Amino acid sequence: MSNVRFPEGFVWGGATAAYQIEGAAREDGRGPSIWDTFSRTPGAVFQGHTGDVACDHYHRYAEDVALMAELGLRAYRFSVSWPRVRPDGTGPAEPRGLDFYDRLTDALLDAGIDPIVTLYHWDLPQALEDRGGWTVRETAEHFAEYALAVHGRLGDRVRTWTTLNEPWCSAYLGYGSGVHAPGRRDAGDAFRAVHHLLLGHGLAARALRAAGAETLGITLNLADVQPADAGSAADAEAVRLVDGLHNRIFLDPLTGGGYPADVLAHVSRIVAPDFVRDGDEKLIAAPLDLLGLNYYAPTYVAGRAGGAGGDAWPGTAGTVEFLPPAGPLTDMGWSIEPAGLTRLLERVASDHPGLPLMITENGGAFPDTGLDERGGVADADRVAYLDGHLRAAHEAIARGVDLRGYLVWSVLDNFEWAEGYRKRFGIVHVDYLTQRRTPKRSARWYQEVIARNGL
Ligand code: FCB
C-alpha cells in the first residue's frame, strides 16, 4: 500500500462555503439569509455563534488564495452567496456582490487554481423564505434566474458549475428535523423542499447549459447505508427505506429515472405529492457532466418494530433504528470508516455508469489541541483520516470507478452550522480573535500528497 498513485490529471483541491467563511454579512448590499436569522434564534446554534464575521474571507480572500497556491491546490470549490448577488432573492443583481466573486475568480486563475462554483450552499435569501422558501415552486424559478445572473458575470472564466450542495440537508434538516435553517419541522414540507430543490437544479442546469456553461453538476451527500445484520430481512428492508429517502429520491430523478415507485409510495403516506407536476421529472433530468459526492461516515440501520427512526428521514419512526456511531469517532461524533467511501463510489458508478464522479467534500473535525514544534497544530488524527479516505478513493479507482478529483473539507476552520465555531474541519487553523491563518500538519501533508500525486 505504500505506492498509491492517482491518475494523471486527477484534480486535487479544497472546499469551503460562503456563509461559513465570508463574514461581511451586512456589507456591499448583501441581504439577510436564512442562516442570519436562524443563528440569531435562541438555542439554534452553539452559543449563539453567527456567520457575521466568520473567517473574514470577504476581506482576506487574497491572502487565502495565496495560501491555497502555496499548498499546491489545483482547484477550489467555493459557493456564491445568493443574498449577496440578489439581496431580496428576486430583484436586480447587486453589482458589488458580483464584484467580490469576480475578484476571487481572477485571483484564483492568476494563482493557477481552477474555480469550481457552487451556486447554493444553504444561504437562501430570507425574503424568499418569508414567501415559503423551498416549500414553494417559485423559489426554484428564482434560483434559476439567480444562477444565470452569476453565470453572466463569471461564465467567461469559470468552467465547472454545480447547482446545489447537499439538497438532503437543505430539505430534511432545514424543513424536517429543523436543526438547520430555516428550522421548520414538518415532514410534508421536507418533501416539498426536496422536489423544489431538484426542480431548481433542473431549471438552473438548463439555463446555464443554454448560456454555455461547460461542466455542469450537483453535489449530493449520499449515504452508505448498511444493515446492522447482513443476514436480516428486516434490516434489509430498513436499508431499502433509508436508501430511498436519502439517496434514490435524488439520484434517480437526476439521472432520468424519475422518482422511484417505492419512495413515492412512502411519501404519499405522509403528504399528497401534488407538488410534482407533469413534466417536472423531465426538467430535473437535465444532463449532468459531473456528480459531486460528499462523504464523511457510513449509516447503519436495523429494521425494528417500535424503532425510534430519525426526524431527518420522515416516516422512519416505528420501523427503523439508526445505530449509534461505533469505533473511533471524530469530534462531530461521526464514525471513521473509509471503506464506506469505496462502497459508495462503486455503488454509484455501477448504478449510473458513464457519470464522472468527484469527491467534493471529505474531511474530519478533530479537537486540534496538540501544538507542534513550530507552534502549529499537530493534527495526526486528521492526517490519518485523510490518508485512509484517499486510499479508499484510490481503491475505487482501481476497481474502475471514474473518479476525477478530491476536494478536502475544509481549506479553513469555519462556521460549522449548528455547531458554530467549536468544530474545526480546516487543514489551516484560524484564530478567530486575530484572523491569523496557520497551516496545520495536515496541510503540509496534503501539500506533499498533491506534489507527488499520491500517497
Ligand atoms: C457538509 C456541508 C459542509 C460542512 C461539512 C462538515 O454537510 O456541506 O458545509 O459543514 O458537512
Side-chain angles (χ1 to χ4, degrees), residues 60-359:
R60 295 168 194 263
Y61 73 92
E63 178 193 343
D64 292 337
V65 170
L67 193 49
M68 290 187 247
E70 182 191 322
L71 295 177
L73 266 52
R74 310 268 163 71
Y76 173 53
R77 170 182 183 249
F78 62 92
S79 81
V80 173
S81 159
W82 186 347
R84 239 185 238 300
V85 170
R86 285 184 121 196
D88 64 0
T90 59
E94 165 56 71
R96 291 171 297 174
L98 286 169
D99 289 346
F100 169 67
Y101 297 105
D102 213 329
R103 293 193 294 273
L104 174 61
T105 299
D106 282 344
L108 288 165
L109 292 171
D110 285 348
I113 302 171
D114 197 28
I116 298 181
V117 168
T118 298
L119 287 160
Y120 185 71
H121 201 127
W122 308 352
D123 45 356
L124 185 72
Q126 180 61 41
L128 289 181
E129 173 58 21
D130 295 342
R131 290 152 68 168
W134 287 110
T135 68
V136 301
R137 198 175 173 89
E138 291 73 55
T139 300
E141 288 155 6
H142 295 312
F143 176 65
E145 297 154 14
Y146 147 73
L148 265 188
V150 179
H151 186 272
R153 182 65 88 85
L154 305 181
D156 57 337
R157 283 153 295 154
V158 171
R159 292 182 300 146
T160 308
W161 296 82
T162 56
T163 53
L164 308 174
N165 175 70
E166 302 190 356
W168 180 89
C169 291
S170 302
Y172 293 102
L173 301 182
Y175 294 86
S177 70
V179 305
H180 277 186
R184 291 208 246 161
R185 290 166 202 259
D186 182 299
D189 282 343
F191 289 125
R192 286 187 187 91
V194 165
H195 182 66
H196 296 131
L197 281 153
L198 283 170
L199 184 64
H201 157 82
L203 294 171
R206 202 164 67 147
L208 293 179
R209 181 84 66 195
E214 195 176 311
T215 304
L216 274 172
I218 182 169
T219 279
L220 302 176
N221 58 320
L222 295 177
D224 169 51
V225 190
Q226 295 297 324
D229 171 357
S232 153
D235 292 3
E237 174 57 17
V239 168
R240 181 200 60 76
L241 177 59
V242 173
D243 179 63
L245 288 171
H246 202 120
N247 298 328
R248 290 181 290 117
I249 197 171
F250 296 104
L251 270 177
D252 290 15
L254 284 168
T255 54
Y259 288 111
D262 65 319
V263 176
L264 259 192
H266 178 84
V267 171
S268 305
R269 286 195 284 277
I270 295 169
V271 60
D274 50 7
F275 43 88
V276 182
R277 297 199 192 152
D278 280 354
D280 284 0
E281 282 158 305
K282 200 161 165 253
L283 290 170
I284 294 168
L288 286 177
D289 306 306
L290 187 69
L291 178 64
L293 299 186
N294 295 350
Y295 174 83
Y296 291 93
T299 306
Y300 282 86
V301 298
R304 217 163 268 163
D311 291 346
W313 296 268
T316 54
T319 57
V320 176
E321 195 70 54
F322 286 84
L323 269 58
L329 304 179
T330 69
D331 202 27
M332 294 295 278
W334 297 347
S335 58
I336 302 175
E337 197 174 317
L341 177 59
T342 314
R343 288 193 295 261
L344 192 62
L345 288 165
E346 281 197 279
R347 178 260 171 105
V348 176
S350 89
D351 285 0
H352 305 284
L355 182 56
L357 306 178
M358 182 178 284
I359 297 169

Side-chain angles (χ1 to χ4, degrees), residues 20 121-122 165-166 296 361 409 416-417 425:
Q20 295 179 277
H121 201 127
W122 308 352
N165 175 70
E166 302 190 356
Y296 291 93
E361 284 182 27
W409 185 273
E416 178 46 36
W417 309 113
F425 274 93

